Amino acid sequence: MSGHGEPSVFVVARNPQDDSKLPFLLRLPLEGGLVLKARERWPTTARVYCHRFEDAWPEGSEIVEQTPVRRCQRRGAAIDLLLDRPRLARSQFVFTQVKGREAIFWQTQKTARAANPGGRIPRRRSLTGPVAITVDTRERYPYRFAQRPVETVRATVPAGDYAVQNPDGRILATVERKSLDNLAATLSDGTLAFQMQRLAELPLAAVVIEARYSALYKLEHVDGNWLADQLARLEVRYPEVHLVFADSRRYAEDWTYRFLTTAVADTTDPNPDGD
């Protein structure tokens, strides 16, 4: 599942570079055919160090194995790989930085658990400057993101209350903010369903609620069980939209900042120089 038309096959070959300490080549059906050099054929006992192959896939290379791919998908600073075979099928490539240089680690759940804790998940890429967050003009008392490297801009956001954009101006990620009372009101009158519909049309979207989930059951004049049922239905209907109960306004603002800035950092070109 690559989305670019190339064959969904994972290929392992011998690296023709005799002087390389990474003897294998990996070709992933992603981004036109992503080619990596690797120390091993599979991360069986430890994470495998990889590096980008400097040239195009070498024709006539010695193929070690070819396996159909069920899923190959980039997720921020990682790539999930699921092969169509009964064993040794699921793995992940983690793109990170070591001493200022790109490093790629190929791991399974078992090898990630055995590695040092800091290497178990991809670290967020560093941002070079303040992040521009667009605040919808209809927000009466907006988050200020105090003490954060953020520049806020007032404008109309097509869905949600806070958004970040790609360099070309398209919405990259957005967050709809809800107080507990507003959540209950929009669930009751049905408007939240249409808000979720618009949010689901965007690449990344979330609804953050300034309360605990248990607070649903403490509201007066409305049945908490009914609210919870309606909310569950919307979550099932729109799984693309993250729903977060953040306890309070303070933590909702903190979560919104982290969600939006991580979206910007993790969608930054991981190899802007083409190395």
Side-chain angles (χ1 to χ4, degrees), residues 7-255:
S8 292
V9 177
F10 175 64
V11 182
V12 181
R14 300 285 180 185
N15 186 354
Q17 298 174 335
D18 295 332
D19 58 344
S20 177
K21 295 181 180 180
L22 306 176
F24 296 99
L25 293 185
L26 315 174
R27 185 171 66 190
L28 285 71
L30 188 73
E31 301 166 1
L34 178 61
V35 182
L36 304 176
K37 298 186 288 188
R39 189 160 290 168
E40 303 289 344
R41 295 170 52 177
W42 185 262
T44 52
T45 59
R47 293 188 305 165
V48 173
Y49 178 76
C50 302
H51 194 276
R52 294 177 189 268
F53 189 59
E54 298 84 355
D55 304 311
W57 180 264
E59 298 298 329
S61 56
E62 180 187 348
I63 303 298
V64 176
E65 65 176 90
Q66 299 185 76
T67 309
V69 171
R70 292 178 59 187
R71 177 170 295 144
C72 184
Q73 185 173 4
R74 183 177 287 279
R75 297 183 183 276
I79 294 174
D80 289 343
L81 176 66
L82 178 60
L83 302 181
D84 188 7
R85 62 188 184 190
R87 295 184 61 254
L88 304 179
R90 192 181 299 274
S91 64
Q92 183 184 74
F93 293 85
V94 175
F95 292 72
T96 186
Q97 296 282 326
V98 175
K99 297 181 179 180
R101 298 179 63 87
E102 183 185 60
I104 306 170
F105 294 98
W106 185 18
Q107 62 187 21
T108 62
Q109 181 176 335
K110 178 181 177 181
T111 58
R113 189 183 302 121
N116 64 81
R120 291 179 185 173
I121 59 173
R123 295 181 180 179
R124 191 176 79 169
R125 297 189 181 97
S126 299
L127 294 169
T128 56
V131 174
I133 295 180
T134 301
V135 181
D136 190 76
T137 53
R138 291 163 291 187
E139 273 284 82
R140 294 181 62 189
Y141 304 104
Y143 295 152
R144 298 185 181 277
F145 304 107
Q147 310 303 317
R148 301 286 195 178
V150 167
E151 295 177 352
T152 57
V153 178
R154 280 284 195 164
T156 300
V157 178
D161 299 312
Y162 304 88
V164 289
Q165 299 174 323
N166 284 313
D168 61 7
R170 291 177 300 163
I171 296 294
L172 169 63
T174 187
V175 173
E176 172 78 22
R177 164 196 174 191
K178 294 287 183 190
S179 66
L180 182 63
D181 289 340
N182 184 247
L183 175 68
T186 53
L187 278 172
S188 298
D189 64 17
T191 58
L192 183 57
F194 291 97
Q195 291 174 331
M196 296 277 280
Q197 182 187 56
R198 290 193 293 270
L199 290 169
E201 296 170 357
L202 298 172
L204 290 168
V207 177
V208 65
I209 301 153
E210 300 171 346
R212 297 181 179 182
Y213 179 74
S214 60
L216 282 175
Y217 298 91
K218 300 175 183 178
L219 289 167
E220 297 181 359
H221 312 301
V222 64
D223 184 352
N225 287 296
W226 183 85
L227 288 176
D229 282 343
Q230 299 308 308
L231 194 60
R233 288 191 178 97
L234 290 179
E235 289 187 81
V236 170
R237 190 184 304 171
Y238 300 105
E240 309 94 332
V241 181
H242 306 277
L243 189 70
V244 177
F245 282 85
D247 188 72
S248 66
R249 176 189 169 105
R250 171 190 171 188
Y251 290 115
E253 179 176 336
D254 179 80
W255 188 91

